[in-house]
Amino acid sequence: MASPEIDALTQALSRLPGLGPRSARRAVLHLLRKRETALDPLLRALAAVNERLVTCATCGNVDTSDPCGVCADPRRDARALCVVEDVADLWALDRSRLFPGRFHVLGGRLSALEGVRPEDLSIDLLVARVAAGGIDEVVLAMNATLEGQTTAHYLADRLEGYPVRLTQLAHGVPVGGELDYLDEGTLAQALRARRPLG
Amino acid sequence: MASPEIDALTQALSRLPGLGPRSARRAVLHLLRKRETALDPLLRALAAVNERLVTCATCGNVDTSDPCGVCADPRRDARALCVVEDVADLWALDRSRLFPGRFHVLGGRLSALEGVRPEDLSIDLLVARVAAGGIDEVVLAMNATLEGQTTAHYLADRLEGYPVRLTQLAHGVPVGGELDYLDEGTLAQALRARRPLG
């Protein structure tokens, strides 16, 4: 039906997370109809990112400069380091603008099931950053999953002996969360970590 | 947070139908992580489509050749013409491979509300195609909306006097549809157009 070029575009789009074959087709039609306002900007943005994309040698963030924008930002507190599993986590935490320090992206989590071992993650680089000094606090911001927490414990072991304070994100009832809908694990954590009022 | 290039890509993607800011971010992260298998193919497909994209001067289809693949296909019955509002409708009908003829894309529907007048649509070209002869049947495959049906009636007026059979898609209960969930308009149509069994 459609030309091979259009089919290829539909296929490439349908492989993006959140887009299936049907929505990819709608997206392609949108691009074809709005060349100036949709196709051209997307093409230019993709080409620019493709050309300039680079992994930050310091923290593992993906950016268009190395060191990345976060590492190069002089307003950030170099004494606080937040360790995350993934670039997506870095972005999520950075969007909130609540963490004033820098980041370290592990590139995954330890997983016996998926065969991810410590040497597959950017752990040696993390230890080297901490060993180099100048860091007071390392926030282990792994996901609240079994593997995330296993990774956090492993990192805590590896960072033992260095003069840094190790912390982790609080677990509990999410803001706006209704107890009725929460799983037992979260409720148990929230109850265990209960704090005095006021 | 992210670089201007990555922000621009996120914005361009978030403007696609079906993608919001959140899913666009996920898509960008996917593209950044899988450069070889996701970013490169998408970039190449977009560039190829952008380079070769053209509107068929005969039928209004968007394709990478003019005349388009449908118009150029010698196996298609040139005596049957299916008029649709939009390229999306052409693709939808063509995917089913049930219509053996050619198409004509109006580029929209008449709409007093949106100020779409007959001269804004590819109607003169349609009349010229019919006037040129060789066409036995024109299927007015407008959407089953008020504006779609208004457009169909207008086209029927414009095509009056030409030796062609004008038909329209049947309206009724969609295949697999449960009466319980259908609107009254569809039910009324289905009842009015009821046919003898067998």
Side-chain angles (χ1 to χ4, degrees), chain B residues 26-48:
Chain B
R26 281 179 55 216
V28 168
L29 273 163
H30 179 81
L31 290 170
L32 299 187
R33 283 198 208 111
K34 317 251 169 168
R35 282 189 77 167
E36 285 77 21
T37 57
L39 202 157
D40 286 351
L42 180 58
L43 179 56
R44 263 180 283 122
L46 259 183

Side-chain angles (χ1 to χ4, degrees), chain B residues 144 168-197:
Chain B
Q168 64 171 345
L169 297 181
H171 296 158
V173 181
V175 176
E178 297 182 51
L179 298 194
D180 216 13
Y181 293 95
L182 285 175
D183 61 298
E184 277 183 41
T186 302
L187 281 179
Q189 275 279 12
L191 202 57
R192 226 178 293 144
R194 66 187 181 276
R195 303 186 309 165
L197 245 177

